[in-house]
Structures are given as structure tokens and as C-alpha cells.
Amino acid sequence: MGNSGHNSYFNGVKASDTRILKSINILAVLKVLREVESVSRADIARITELTPATVSSIVSLLMKSGIARETGYGESTGGRPPLMIEFNPQAFYLAGVDLGVSKIIAVVTDLEGNVVSDTRQELDVHLGVESILSSLFDVTHRTLAKAADVRDKIAGLGLSVPGLIDAGRGVSVFAPNIPGWSDIPIAGAFEDEFAYPCWVENDARAMAIGEAMFGAGRGYDNILCVNVGRGIGAGVIINGEVYRGKQGGAGELGHMTIDPNGPVCPCGNQGCLEAMAAGPAIAAAAIRAVSTGSSTLIRDLVDGKIEAITAELVSEAASKGDLLAQRLIIEAGRYLGIGIANAVNMLSPDVVIIGGGVSRAGDILFNEVRATVEERAFTAMVNLPPIVPSAQGEEASSVGAAALVLEEMLAVGNISHTIGGQEAQ
Ligand SMILES: [Zn+2]
């Protein structure tokens, strides 16, 4: 078979739809502008291998929309000094909203992911779907109100939700930890409320997109981003594109079996990574240890109310030198490392990024994850990827949701429309 089907598809595109190729050219120019601080038209032509006339036409289009601007004359290399161009990250703004199991975070960012307005609110997911939606709207309204001076430059709104999503229909299909939450047409609901184009993505994938565009994944084509909090999910970027899998089901790293005889997972299986290394598993292990009377700072942090122990408190005790807490974080790190080693063997990513509440346990966790991956990944032929924390911290999924808007703006075919519906050569 070979890839003849692929080739004929591309030939067909070339013959029938030069508009898409123009969009690809615009993307190539934008990529250079985003990566290089200040650049001349001739430099862009050299880097992109486009003709000077094409570059000139695309730059005018980008300048008309404000995405590019001239910054003055650069160094002469013999002839007339060139006019330098730079990317203008304040040409448009992006809104992102993250629905978590215990909180909502909304942000407005510029085109470099710099947060200009944010709101964080605790959430009780047991109050029902209507109440959750009205809290989401409320937090979003407050965030937009704080960004009033840029509000008319917001290009769209992205939503990050846990669980399964249907990106094409804008539906949050199922969220395992939110009772009664199924088949919610959430993008449509936000479009009706806010009149922006809206998109929805799974939280781990939103995080991966945000890290790829603005954070620890910038400059890498193959990224494994692992979100470790109440559950464990992964966002996978392959050759610069988000990998969603059949019906958006990819990335369920938390339900990879680590120990076939291990503890029962909420999904019904035994020994899933999530049941051994996510926040509730760390808290449960701590509660078991503290109730056997082990001497630990964890007990003091909850005033003896051991049912109030959380993974965050275990992290806090670990960072203060508590040996039991450190042992629990190291144990979670070892299981996480086993899961990540399996994923690294499968994907061979350029970088592994870990975010989510549990990742804030810091070096104690990361050192164990790195040591375990080093020990268990098959590294005879390739170097191990760096394993780094998320650059966005607690806002990783909300900034990622905002990045989703940029991803959609830049998608081939959307770009001409976004920057004014005009065509470049
Ligand atoms: Zn499971």
C-alpha cells in the first residue's frame, strides 16, 4: 500500500485548494514571528523558504490585523537597513475556563499566555449540574469584567473539563468525579451566554496544548503531559498535533494497570495507576498509616482529625521534613514513574511535563519519578526525555483552555478568517 493515498490527497489539495496552502504559509510566517524576537522580511523568506513576494503579502495581512508590527530599522548587512517585524501578543486575547472537581479557574491571557485577569472559586460538585453551570458563568463574567479594557479583543473562549469530551460537538460527555454530569453541550451554553466562539477540551489535553504553546513544552514536537490531581490523565502531542484517539478516548494513563492485584480503582479495575498515585490514593495511604499510630507531622496538621487528611497536607508535611509523608510521596512517585516509563516506551516523547495538584509536591516526587523512569524505560536506543514540572502551575488547565482558542485560530483554514477574511498570496 505505501502512502500513495496520502500523496494523492496532498496532490489533490495542491490542485484544488490553494487557499489552504496560503493558510499554511501564513502559519509558517507566524511561527517565525513567535519564535524569533525581531526579524526582517528577508529573514522570514530565508527561514520559511517562501518567496519574498509571498512573505511581503503575508506580513501586510498580519500587520493589518495587528498580529505583526514594524519595530524600526535593523542592522544593515551591506545595503539598505531592513525594516524589522515583531509578533504583537496583545493583538488579540484569549479566555480560558477550567472546571475542576473542587474548583473553577477562569483566565484571560494575551497571545503569549500572559494572564491579564483571573478568578478562582471553590466548587462543590454535589450541588448539581445547574448550579455548576451557573458558577462557571459567574466566575467567567467576573474574569471578563476584570479584563474590561481588552474585552472587545477576545478572540474566543476555551473550556477545560475533566473526563470524556466530544470536541466536534462541543459536548462534555462524562466526568467521573462530578455526579450527574453527562452529555452537557457546554460549548453551546457558553456561546449563548458570552457570544464568543467556544471550544471544549479534556483537562489533561488542554494542559498539554497550553504547555506546548506557552510553557514547558514550547519548542518540542512530541510531548507527554501528565495531569496528576484527583485523577490522572495525559495529553499527548505527536509531531506538533494533539492526539485525541478514537472518540477522544486517548490519554487515560490513570487507568493503565500497574499492579494486577492492586487496590480497586473507581473504574472497577484493580491496580490502576490512578488508584495508586493520584491525590485520593496518597490521602488514603496517609490515613492508614496515621491511624496505626505512626509518629508524623500529618496528624498535627489536621489536629488529630485523620479523615481530614488530603494529599496537599501530605505534601506540606513532606516539604517540612516529615519522614512518613516523604515516604508516601516517594511511593506515589515510584508508581507514577512506572506508568510514565511505560508511556515513554510507547511514545518516545521529547519531553515529559507533570502538572496538577500532586505535582506540587516538588523535588521529592520528581526525583523519584525520574529515577524510576531511568531504571525502567527501555533506553538502549534513545536518550530519556527530560521530566519537568508544568510551567503554569495551578492555572495550567485554564491557560491551556485559552491556548485552545489560539490553536483553533491557527488551525489551517481558520487563519484567514480570523485575521480578517482576506487572502494572502
Ligand atoms: Zn481505573
Side-chain angles (χ1 to χ4, degrees):
M1 288 285 286
N3 55 7
S4 58
H6 202 181
N7 285 339
S8 66
Y9 169 75
F10 258 91
N11 291 339
V13 168
K14 272 182 189 169
S16 67
D17 197 349
T18 49
R19 189 160 173 225
I20 289 178
L21 284 178
K22 284 169 191 167
S23 298
I24 292 171
N25 290 348
I26 296 175
L27 283 181
V29 172
L30 259 179
K31 190 163 184 241
V32 174
L33 287 174
R34 282 194 70 213
E35 298 306 323
V36 188
E37 210 163 286
S38 176
V39 69
S40 70
R41 287 172 176 78
D43 291 334
I44 298 173
R46 186 174 42 77
I47 298 167
T48 57
E49 298 181 347
L50 295 171
T51 66
T54 300
V55 169
S56 210
S57 150
I58 291 173
V59 167
S60 327
L61 182 60
L62 292 172
M63 281 177 53
K64 207 176 256 178
S65 69
I67 290 179
R69 60 190 173 199
E70 285 175 343
T71 59
Y73 290 97
E75 295 274 303
S76 166
T77 50
R80 197 156 54 100
L83 263 171
M84 305 303 279
I85 324 274
E86 69 173 10
F87 179 66
N88 173 17
Q90 282 87 40
F92 292 104
Y93 289 80
L94 315 164
V97 181
D98 172 32
L99 168 62
V101 175
S102 59
K103 61 182 181 295
I104 295 168
I105 298 178
V107 296
V108 173
T109 78
D110 68 11
L111 295 179
E112 288 289 14
N114 301 306
V115 175
V116 298
S117 161
D118 60 351
T119 312
R120 180 189 190 286
Q121 184 177 296
E122 301 298 316
L123 175 71
D124 179 359
V125 290
H126 300 283
L127 293 177
V129 171
E130 285 303 315
S131 160
I132 295 171
L133 278 174
S134 93
S135 296
L136 282 167
F137 286 168
D138 175 53
V139 173
T140 308
H141 276 299
R142 279 155 51 202
T143 310
L144 293 173
K146 284 191 270 180
D149 48 335
V150 302
R151 194 168 172 164
D152 59 343
K153 289 165 114 186
I154 292 174
L157 185 148
L159 291 150
S160 157
V161 297
L164 285 178
I165 58 116
D166 181 337
R169 293 191 303 130
V171 171
S172 176
V173 176
F174 172 67
N177 295 311
I178 305 181
W181 187 271
S182 73
D183 283 318
I184 311 290
I186 193 165
F190 266 78
E191 275 175 9
D192 291 346
E193 181 76 13
F194 296 98
Y196 294 124
C198 297
W199 294 273
V200 62
E201 187 51 278
N202 157 283
D203 52 3
R205 278 200 291 269
M207 185 182 283
I209 293 167
E211 294 292 336
M213 288 211 168
F214 307 134
R218 202 159 171 174
Y220 294 109
D221 284 335
N222 301 295
I223 301 169
L224 171 65
C225 183
V226 185
N227 185 14
V228 194
R230 188 74 57 110
I232 296 178
V236 178
I237 291 179
I238 298 175
N239 296 331
E241 286 195 26
V242 183
Y243 180 73
R244 293 188 170 88
K246 185 185 176 193
Q247 295 179 321
E252 291 297 339
L253 186 70
H255 301 289
M256 176 182 277
T257 303
I258 299 298
D259 176 359
N261 304 310
V264 174
C265 177
C267 79
N269 286 322
Q270 263 186 289
C272 293
L273 178 59
E274 185 165 309
M276 303 177 74
I282 296 171
I287 288 170
R288 279 195 304 275
V290 174
S291 43
T292 62
S294 304
S295 148
T296 169
L297 181 62
I298 302 172
R299 186 186 287 108
D300 307 339
L301 288 173
V302 292
D303 280 333
K305 279 184 245 131
I306 58 172
E307 67 284 354
I309 292 172
T310 61
E312 288 76 19
L313 286 172
V314 177
S315 284
E316 190 186 330
S319 68
K320 288 177 175 160
D322 184 74
L323 292 177
L324 171 69
Q326 290 186 348
R327 186 172 59 73
L328 294 169
I329 297 292
I330 287 169
E331 192 171 77
R334 185 155 48 85
Y335 293 132
L336 198 54
I338 293 172
I340 289 174
N342 290 338
V344 164
N345 285 345
M346 185 74 199
L347 298 167
S348 187
D350 301 320
V351 64
V352 177
I353 301 166
I354 309 179
V358 171
S359 73
R360 285 186 281 286
D363 283 348
I364 300 169
L365 180 86
F366 275 82
N367 289 343
E368 186 64 21
V369 171
R370 290 183 188 116
T372 306
V373 171
E374 207 165 300
E375 183 187 314
R376 291 180 182 261
F378 179 76
T379 57
M381 306 190 42
V382 290
N383 290 324
L384 281 177
I387 298 175
V388 300
S390 146
Q392 321 278 1
E394 196 182 29
E395 292 185 332
S397 285
S398 52
V399 171
L404 188 62
V405 177
L406 184 57
E407 196 214 15
E408 291 291 339
M409 280 171 72
L410 298 186
V412 168
N414 287 351
I415 185 75
S416 313
H417 172 73
T418 305
I419 59 180
Q422 297 165 62
E423 307 230 347
Q425 282 176 7

